[in-house]
C-alpha cells in the first residue's frame, strides 16, 4: 500500500474542496421558473364539436372534444410572435372559432392585427386574415358567409382610431375588404344583415337587375348601406341621415324583399324612441361619373304610432308593416299608401315573432305571437284575412307567474322562464305546461336535442331533460354546481363546466343524461404542466 | 513522569537476581494499578506508541497487521496487575543494595500507597465497526417541472440509518452494508398560486460502502445504494387531488469521513466508541414520477377522470453531510 504522505493527502483534500465548490455553484444556479406569473385562460366558448379555451399565457387554443368515456384535448399554437389574443368568438354554426390577435404591446411594430379562423374539428390549418386594425366588435352574417369587424364605440384601444373603419371578411373566399363608412360623421354602433332572414341560407336582395348582399351600418342618426358583394364597395355606399328628426335613433332593421305586391325591396329602420319607422326603398342607380351599376334609396317615414317596440312584415291583401306599439296595439300599415288599422291585444306586449299555424287540411297561415317581459299572457293572432276581420280577438295563453324570459325552441314551441317555474308552451296543442323547480331556471341556458329540452342553469347542481312529447322532466344530480352549459351538437354531448381555473367539467349524453353514462374530467387545462417546454 | 517510569523499569531489571527484562509499554500514569507489568517474552518486541505523523520502524498503527499473539501479553484490555513485590518502605533502611537513592525519581513509588501500576489499554485492531448516522442532504433537480412542487430546484432531505462493516483482511479497507430511511418534502405553487402542489417522498435506502483509511481519523469512501421510493403528490386548486406512487432510487456517492482518532479517545487503542462527521457528493437517480392525481370526490361520484400532468424526473447531483457514532 502506498504511503500516505502529506502531499497526497492535501491533493485529495483539494479535489474534495473543488467538488464541494462545484456542488454549491450548481445548487445556487436557478434556471428560469416556467410557472412564474399567472395563467390566463379565457372562459370557454362552445362549438358544435366541444369547447374551446384561449390560453393567453402560452398563446394557444385548447380544443376539448368529448368522447364516450373521456375528452380529447388538443392545443394549437397561435403562429404569431409578439402577439396576444384580443377576443374570440364561435361562428354562428359552431363549426369554427374566430380569434383576433393584436401586438403584445405598443412598442411592437412588425406585427399586425390578424383574424384567425380555426376549424373546431381540424384546428391545425388555420386561415388568417390581415384586418389591419384592432377591431373590438364582430358581426356574423346569418348565412355564415361573412364576418364584419368594427369598433363598437368603447374606449379606443389605440392612440388614434378611425371609429368608422370596418373590415368585411369573406370566410369562404378569404377576401377582405377594408373600408371607412362614407357617412356623415356619426359613430358606428351596430351592424345588421337585414336581407338574411333564414339561418345558413344565403339570400340576396334583388335591387333592379342586380342581386345584392346588403349590410346596414347603424350610427346615432344615420344608416350606411353597403353591398358586401360589390368589389367597389369602398365607393358604392349609400348613407341616409336622420338628423331632421332629432328623436330618430336607428336601432333595428327589417328587410322586405320585393314581390308582386310591392316590387322594390324595402328596408325598415326602427328607432329607439319616437313614433316613426323609416322606410328605405332600394332602387337601382348608375354611378353618375363612371356609369357603373349601383343602387340608392328612397326615404319615407311611416307614422305607426308611439313607442314602437317591434315590427314584422306581412303580406295579406296588401303589403303590411306590422308594428307593436303603445304596449298593446298591433298596427298594420300598408307600405304603399301608409294607411292602416289597429288591433288591440288588450294586454301588454313588447316583442313578437311570426310562425306558421297549421289550421288543418295541410294548410298553414301566418300567426303573430306577442308577449312582454313581466306580463302574464302570450297573445297569438292569426293573420289570414285580418284586414277583413278587424273584430278578431287574439287568443291568450296564460303564464301564471309572469313571463321572465322567452326562448323560441322551434316553430311550434317556446320555453318561458319565470323564476322557479318553466313553462313549455305548445301552440298547436294550445297547451301550457308548468314545470316547477326548487331553484330558478335560466331559460337561456337551454338547448334542444331532437325532442329533448336540456336545461343547465348556472349555479345549480342539476342537469334537467324534458321530453317534449310526454313533457316528462328528468333531472340528473351533478357532483359540482354549474358554471356554464354547452351543447355540442355534432357529438351529441352536453358539456357542463364547473368553476375550476385548471379545467373541471362534466360530460353527459344529450339524449338521455344520467350519472351512470356521464363522466367528469379535471385538470385538462394544465395537461402536461410538469413537462414545460 | 513518563521518563521516571521508564527509569524505574530499567532499574528493577538490573537488580541482582532478576532476569534482564526489555522495556515494557509505558503505563498510564493516571492509573492507580501497579506500575510494573508482567515481563514480556524476550522474543516478542513490545508494541510502542507510534507517532502517526512520523512513522518509525518501531511504531505500529492500529490498522497494521499484527497477530494477536504478538501483543504485549494482555489477553484483553484488562489492566495488568504486577505480582506483589517486596519493596521496602521508603523510610526503612535501604534493602539489598544499600540505602534508597534520593535522586531516584521513583523513590516515592516504593510507598505501598502509590505502587499501583498505570492502567494500560493495548491496541485493539479494528475488525468491524457499526455506525449509526443522521445526515441531511440535497439533490439539485435538473427537471424544470420540479419548480412546480418547490420554490427552487433543491430537493432537501433527511437521512437516518446504520451501517455495519468488516475490515478486508489486514488492509485499511472496510466493506459496510447499510440500511436507512430518507425523507424528502417540498411545496410549491404554479402560476401565482393558481395551483398549490407538494410532494413527499419516503425511501428505505440500502447501501454498500467501501471505505479506506487515509489515517486514523480520516476515511474515504464510495457508496452506491438504492431502494424503492414511496411518493405522495398533492394538488390544490378549487379541487383537491392526491396521488400515491412507487418508484426506484439509486444513489452513488463518494466522500470522506472524519472521526475521533483512537489516540484522542480515553481508552486509546482499546477504544470501542468513536464519533465523526461525513460528507459525500454524488448523484441520485429516481425513476420518473408520473403525475396523474385524482380529485377528491364524495361517495359514489360520477366516474371521474384525472389528467396526465406530466412526469417529474427527481434526479440530479447530490450531496450529503451528517454525523455518526461508531462502535467498533
Amino acid at each position: 500500500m502506498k504511503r500516505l504522505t502529506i502531499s497526497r493527502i492535501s491533493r485529495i483534500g483539494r479535489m474534495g474542496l473543488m467538488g464541494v465548490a462545484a456542488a454549491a455553484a450548481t445548487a445556487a444556479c436557478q434556471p428560469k421558473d416556467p410557472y412564474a406569473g399567472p395563467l390566463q385562460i379565457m372562459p370557454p366558448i362552445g362549438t358544435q364539436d366541444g369547447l374551446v379555451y384561449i390560453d393567453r399565457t402560452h398563446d394557444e387554443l385548447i380544443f376539448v372534444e368529448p368522447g364516450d368515456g373521456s375528452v380529447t384535448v388538443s392545443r394549437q399554437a397561435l403562429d404569431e410572435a409578439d402577439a396576444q389574443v384580443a377576443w374570440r368568438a364561435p361562428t354562428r354554426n359552431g363549426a369554427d372559432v374566430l380569434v383576433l390577435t393584436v401586438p403584445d404591446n405598443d412598442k411592437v411594430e412588425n406585427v399586425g392585427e390578424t383574424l384567425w379562423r380555426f376549424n373546431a374539428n381540424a384546428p391545425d390549418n388555420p386561415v388568417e386574415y390581415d384586418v389591419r386594425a384592432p377591431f373590438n366588435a364582430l358581426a356574423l352574417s346569418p348565412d355564415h358567409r361573412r364576418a364584419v369587424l368594427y369598433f363598437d364605440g368603447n374606449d379606443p384601444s389605440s392612440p388614434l382610431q378611425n371609429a368608422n373603419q370596418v373590415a368585411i371578411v369573406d370566410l369562404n373566399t378569404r377576401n377582405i375588404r377594408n373600408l371607412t363608412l362614407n357617412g356623415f360623421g356619426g359613430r358606428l354602433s351596430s351592424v345588421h344583415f337585414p336581407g338574411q332572414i333564414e339561418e345558413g341560407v344565403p339570400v340576396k336582395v334583388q335591387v333592379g337587375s342586380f342581386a345584392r348582399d346588403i349590410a346596414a351600418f347603424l350610427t346615432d342618426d344615420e344608416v350606411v348601406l353597403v353591398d358586401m358583394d360589390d368589389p367597389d364597395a369602398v365607393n358604392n355606399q349609400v348613407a341616409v341621415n336622420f338628423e331632421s328628426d332629432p328623436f330618430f335613433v336607428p336601432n333595428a332593421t327589417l328587410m322586405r324583399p320585393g314581390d308582386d305586391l310591392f316590387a322594390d325591396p324595402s328596408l325598415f329602420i326602427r328607432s329607439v324612441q319616437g313614433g316613426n319607422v323609416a322606410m328605405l326603398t332600394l332602387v337601382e342607380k348608375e354611378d353618375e361619373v363612371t356609369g357603373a351599376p349601383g343602387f340608392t334609396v328612397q326615404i319615407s317615414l311611416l307614422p305607426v304610432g308611439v313607442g314602437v317596440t317591434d315590427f314584422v312584415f306581412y303580406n295579406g291583401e296588401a303589403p303590411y308593416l306590422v308594428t307593436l306599439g303603445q304596449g298593446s296595439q298591433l298596427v298594420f300599415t300598408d307600405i304603399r299608401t301608409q294607411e292602416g288599422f289597429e288591433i288591440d291585444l288588450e294586454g301588454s306586449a313588447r316583442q313578437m315573432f311570426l310562425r306558421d299555424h297549421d289550421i288543418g287540411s295541410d294548410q298553414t297561415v301566418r300567426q303573430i305571437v306577442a308577449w312582454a317581459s313581466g306580463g302574464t299572457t302570450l297573445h297569438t293572432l292569426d293573420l289570414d284575412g285580418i284586414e277583413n276581420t278587424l273584430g278578431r280577438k287574439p287568443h291568450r295563453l296564460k303564464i301564471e307567474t309572469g313571463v321572465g324570459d322567452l326562448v323560441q325552441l322551434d316553430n311550434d314551441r317556446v320555453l318561458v322562464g319565470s323564476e322557479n317555474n318553466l313553462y313549455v308552451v305548445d301552440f298547436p296543442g294550445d297547451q301550457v305546461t308548468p314545470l316547477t323547480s326548487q331553484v330558478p331556471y335560466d331559460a337561456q341556458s337551454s338547448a334542444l336535442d331532437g325532442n329533448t329540452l336540456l336545461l343547465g342553469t348556472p349555479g345549480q347542481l342539476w342537469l334537467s331533460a324534458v321530453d317534449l312529447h310526454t313533457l316528462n322532466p328528468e333531472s340528473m344530480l351533478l357532483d359540482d354546481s354549474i358554471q356554464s352549459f354547452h351543447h355540442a351538437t355534432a357529438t351529441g354531448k352536453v358539456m357542463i363546466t364547473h368553476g375550476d381555473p385548471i379545467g373541471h367539467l362534466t360530460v353527459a349524453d344529450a339524449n338521455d343524461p344520467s350519472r351512470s353514462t356521464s363522466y367528469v374530467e379535471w385538470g385538462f387545462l394544465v395537461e402536461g404542466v410538469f413537462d414545460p417546454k | 513522569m513518563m521518563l521516571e517510569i521508564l527509569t524505574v523499569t530499567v532499574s528493577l531489571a538490573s537488580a541482582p537476581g532478576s532476569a534482564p527484562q526489555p522495556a515494557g509499554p509505558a503505563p498510564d500514569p493516571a492509573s492507580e494499578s501497579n506500575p510494573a507489568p508482567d515481563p514480556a517474552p524476550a522474543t516478542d518486541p513490545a508494541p510502542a506508541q507510534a507517532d502517526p505523523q512520523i512513522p518509525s520502524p518501531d511504531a505500529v498503527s492500529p490498522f497494521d497487521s499484527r497477530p494477536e499473539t504478538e501483543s504485549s501479553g494482555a489477553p484483553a484490555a484488562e489492566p495488568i496487575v504486577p505480582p506483589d513485590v517486596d519493596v521496602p518502605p521508603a523510610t526503612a533502611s535501604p534493602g539489598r543494595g544499600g540505602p534508597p537513592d534520593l535522586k531516584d525519581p521513583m523513590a516515592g513509588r516504593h510507598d505501598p500507597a502509590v505502587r499501583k501500576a498505570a492502567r494500560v489499554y493495548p491496541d485493539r485492531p479494528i475488525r468491524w465497526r457499526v455506525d449509526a448516522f443522521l445526515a441531511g442532504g440535497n439533490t439539485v433537480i435538473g427537471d424544470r417541472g420540479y419548480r412546480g412542487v418547490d420554490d427552487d430546484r433543491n430537493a432537501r432531505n433527511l437521512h437516518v440509518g446504520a451501517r455495519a462493516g468488516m475490515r478486508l483482511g489486514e488492509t485499511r479497507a472496510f466493506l459496510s452494508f447499510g440500511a436507512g430511511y430518507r425523507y424528502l418534502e417540498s411545496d410549491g405553487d404554479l402560476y401565482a398560486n393558481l395551483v398549490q402542489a407538494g410532494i413527499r417522498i419516503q425511501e428505505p435506502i440500502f447501501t454498500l460502502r467501501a471505505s479506506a483509511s487515509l489515517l486514523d481519523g480520516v476515511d474515504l469512501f464510495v457508496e452506491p445504494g438504492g431502494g424503492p421510493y414511496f411518493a405522495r403528490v398533492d394538488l390544490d386548486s378549487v379541487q383537491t387531488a392526491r396521488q400515491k406512487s412507487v418508484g426506484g432510487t439509486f444513489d452513488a456517492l463518494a466522500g470522506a469521513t472524519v472521526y475521533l482518532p483512537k489516540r484522542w479517545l480515553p481508552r486509546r487503542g482499546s477504544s470501542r466508541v468513536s464519533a465523526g462527521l461525513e460528507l459525500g457528493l454524488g448523484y441520485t437517480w429516481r425513476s420518473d414520477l408520473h403525475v396523474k392525481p385524482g380529485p377528491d370526490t364524495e361517495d359514489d361520484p360520477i366516474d371521474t377522470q384525472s389528467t396526465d400532468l406530466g412526469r417529474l424526473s427527481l434526479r440530479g447531483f447530490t450531496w450529503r453531510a451528517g454525523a455518526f457514532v461508531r462502535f467498533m
Side-chain angles (χ1 to χ4, degrees), chain A residues 1 4 23 29-31 35 37 69 479-480 499-501 504 515 519-520 522 524 526-531 533, chain B residues 144-145 147-148 152-154 172 191 194-195 214 237-239 281 300 302-305 307-311 317:
Chain A
M1 182 181 294
L4 294 171
C29 291
Q30 294 287 351
Y35 310 113
D479 288 343
D480 294 274
D500 195 321
H504 185 196
R515 290 177 65 87
Y519 58 90
V520 173
W522 179 83
F524 54 89
V526 289
E527 186 177 19
V529 68
F530 288 112
D531 296 328
K533 300 187 181 84
Chain B
R144 292 176 67 219
R147 293 298 304 275
D152 54 34
R153 61 196 295 215
N154 297 308
R172 292 170 176 259
Y191 303 120
L194 182 73
V195 181
L214 289 182
S237 61
V238 175
Q239 296 282 319
L281 307 173
D300 195 20
I302 297 174
D303 179 31
T304 301
Q305 315 281 333
T307 300
D308 182 356
L309 302 183
R311 292 175 181 270
F317 172 79

Side-chain angles (χ1 to χ4, degrees), chain B:
Chain B
M1 193 61 161
M2 290 283 287
L3 183 59
E4 292 174 355
I5 292 171
L6 283 172
T7 306
V8 168
T9 302
V10 171
S11 296
L12 285 174
S14 302
S18 63
Q21 300 292 336
D28 184 357
S31 173
E32 295 182 354
S33 58
N34 291 333
D38 278 341
T43 59
D44 296 331
Q49 288 289 331
D51 184 343
Q53 295 300 324
I54 307 175
S56 69
D58 297 328
V60 177
S61 164
F63 299 101
D64 280 349
S65 164
R66 207 167 169 276
E68 289 192 17
T69 54
E70 294 178 357
S71 68
S72 57
E78 294 292 332
I80 300 172
V81 179
D84 289 339
V85 174
D86 184 15
V87 178
T91 55
S93 58
R96 41 193 166 138
D101 184 356
L102 295 179
K103 294 185 182 177
D104 183 356
M106 291 301 294
R109 303 293 287 198
H110 295 295
D111 186 338
V114 296
R115 60 181 177 174
K116 287 183 180 176
R119 195 178 182 100
V120 175
Y121 294 100
D123 278 343
R124 281 177 62 248
I126 302 171
R127 295 294 178 192
W128 56 269
R129 53 192 192 188
V130 174
D131 298 344
F133 64 88
L134 175 67
N138 181 67
T139 301
V140 182
I141 305 295
D143 184 357
R144 292 176 67 219
Y146 183 74
R147 293 298 304 275
V149 294
D150 205 337
D151 293 334
D152 54 34
R153 61 196 295 215
N154 297 308
R156 299 163 193 82
N157 60 76
L158 200 62
H159 192 174
V160 63
R163 281 184 294 269
M166 297 292 291
R167 183 174 166 185
L168 296 180
E170 303 301 329
T171 65
R172 292 170 176 259
F174 276 80
L175 191 65
S176 305
F177 293 91
Y181 168 80
R182 186 161 64 192
Y183 180 75
L184 180 158
E185 176 180 319
S186 67
D187 290 289
D189 71 272
L190 295 89
Y191 303 120
N193 266 325
L194 182 73
V195 181
Q196 288 87 48
I199 190 169
R200 281 111 184 92
I201 293 181
Q202 300 182 78
E203 300 173 305
I205 297 289
F206 304 95
T207 59
L208 175 66
R209 174 177 286 199
S211 58
S213 292
L214 289 182
L215 43 88
D216 186 19
V218 179
D219 283 4
L220 299 180
F221 68 87
V222 291
E223 183 181 87
Y229 73 76
F230 303 92
R232 194 184 93 181
V233 180
D234 297 295
L235 267 74
D236 281 299
S237 61
V238 175
Q239 296 282 319
T240 300
R242 274 176 230 295
Q243 174 190 350
K244 291 183 178 178
S245 297
V246 179
T249 299
F250 175 75
D251 283 339
L253 289 176
T257 61
V258 291
Y259 51 92
L260 296 172
K262 281 189 161 182
R263 64 181 182 281
W264 291 3
L265 297 172
R267 298 164 74 110
R268 293 184 179 247
S270 299
S271 297
R272 295 181 175 224
V273 181
S274 183
L277 304 172
E278 72 169 29
L279 174 66
L281 307 173
Y283 188 85
T284 295
W285 179 92
R286 292 187 181 91
S287 58
D288 284 351
L289 177 58
H290 190 185
V291 184
K292 194 178 180 183
D296 291 346
T297 56
E298 296 183 354
D299 293 337
D300 195 20
I302 297 174
D303 179 31
T304 301
Q305 315 281 333
S306 54
T307 300
D308 182 356
L309 302 183
R311 292 175 181 270
L312 284 174
S313 298
L314 304 172
R315 56 186 78 133
F317 172 79
T318 195
W319 60 264
R320 186 177 73 211
F324 62 91
V325 174
R326 173 167 291 170
F327 304 92
M328 52 193 177

Side-chain angles (χ1 to χ4, degrees), chain A residues 229-253:
Chain A
D229 282 340
D230 188 346
D232 196 22
V234 175
N235 298 316
N236 292 341
Q237 302 178 36
V238 177
V240 179
N241 182 261
F242 299 99
E243 64 179 2
S244 60
D245 184 348
F247 298 104
F248 196 93
V249 179
N251 83 325
T253 61

Side-chain angles (χ1 to χ4, degrees), chain A residues 428-444:
Chain A
D430 210 22
Q431 183 179 7
V432 178
T433 304
L435 304 172
T436 59
S437 74
Q438 299 169 348
V439 292
Y441 266 95
D442 178 12
Q444 295 292 344

